[in-house]
């Protein structure tokens, strides 16, 4: 069964939206395989966002992601990688469609990096790599 690594980012966690994100995941029919509250280390974030190293938003992204605890969730279900990205909506909250997590709950904020509430793996390879970063024992 396919798995995906979801993060409720510091903005979502701080605003008490973890339950709302999990509600939408469960309502869609996906199963929770692991769940943890984690204060990310710089090393974890550098590994997680290795593909973005050197981009202009890389440092602000790591700073934003270091700003508080996140909820890390492994979900399971048929095509849940693509399915969760549909639930999440477009990367920029102001472009995400209503009905999506980012469209309903995300917002443009003062910093370089949008507060877009969630991360979801973008391929089976990314999912396997990211699950190893956040849940080394899985
Ligand atoms: P994610 O990885 O968080 O699920 O989001 P994504 O696939 O939709 O977006 P990605 O391109 O992987 O970018 C990762 C995160 O970096 C921030 N970002 N800011 N200012 C910008 O142009 C910019 N581009 C990306 C966002 O927080 C995005 O979720
Ligand atoms: Mg991404």
């Amino acid at each position: 069964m396919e798995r995906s690594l979801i993060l409720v980012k510091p903005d979502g966690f701080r605003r008490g939206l973890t339950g709302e994100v999990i509600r939408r995941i469960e309502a869609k029919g996906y199963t929770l395989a692991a769940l943890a509250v984690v204060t990310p280390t710089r090393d974890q974030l550098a590994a997680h966002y290795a593909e973005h190293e050197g981009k202009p938003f890389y440092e602000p992204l790591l700073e934003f992601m270091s700003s508080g605890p996140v909820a890390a969730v492994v979900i399971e279900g048929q095509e849940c990688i693509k399915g969760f990205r549909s639930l999440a909506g477009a990367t920029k909250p102001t472009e995400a469609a209503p009905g999506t997590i980012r469209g309903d709950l995300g917002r443009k904020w003062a910093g370089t990096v949008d507060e877009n509430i969630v991360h979801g793996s973008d391929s089976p390879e990314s999912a396997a790599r990211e699950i190893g970063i956040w849940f080394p024992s899985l």
Side-chain angles (χ1 to χ4, degrees):
M1 183 66 76
E2 190 167 272
R3 288 182 161 191
S4 185
L5 185 279
I6 310 308
L7 296 176
V8 180
K9 295 182 177 186
D11 58 325
F13 187 87
R14 206 179 285 129
R15 288 168 60 197
L17 297 173
T18 302
E20 173 64 18
V21 171
I22 290 173
R23 188 191 67 75
R24 290 177 186 225
I25 288 168
E26 292 187 320
K28 182 78 172 173
Y30 301 141
T31 304
L32 306 187
L35 182 60
V37 176
V38 184
T39 299
T41 65
R42 171 98 194 174
D43 283 355
Q44 271 176 316
L45 293 172
H48 180 83
Y49 283 122
E51 66 174 304
H52 295 308
E53 197 184 345
K55 293 182 185 171
F57 61 84
Y58 177 77
E59 281 301 332
L61 176 60
L62 261 58
E63 191 173 328
F64 165 59
M65 290 297 295
S66 307
S67 67
V70 304
V73 188
V74 178
I75 65 168
E76 215 167 66
Q78 297 284 351
E79 291 195 27
C80 69
I81 292 174
K82 197 174 174 189
F84 178 80
R85 289 178 70 87
S86 295
L87 289 184
T91 305
K92 291 182 198 283
T94 47
E95 291 173 9
T100 65
I101 293 167
R102 289 163 170 173
D104 288 348
L105 308 171
R107 58 193 180 186
K108 182 71 187 167
W109 206 243
T112 310
V113 178
D114 289 344
E115 301 203 329
N116 66 0
I117 313 281
V118 286
H119 161 81
S121 305
D122 62 11
S123 68
E125 296 70 31
S126 303
R129 194 179 66 79
E130 292 169 2
I131 289 168
I133 294 167
W134 299 95
F135 294 96
S137 63
L138 271 190

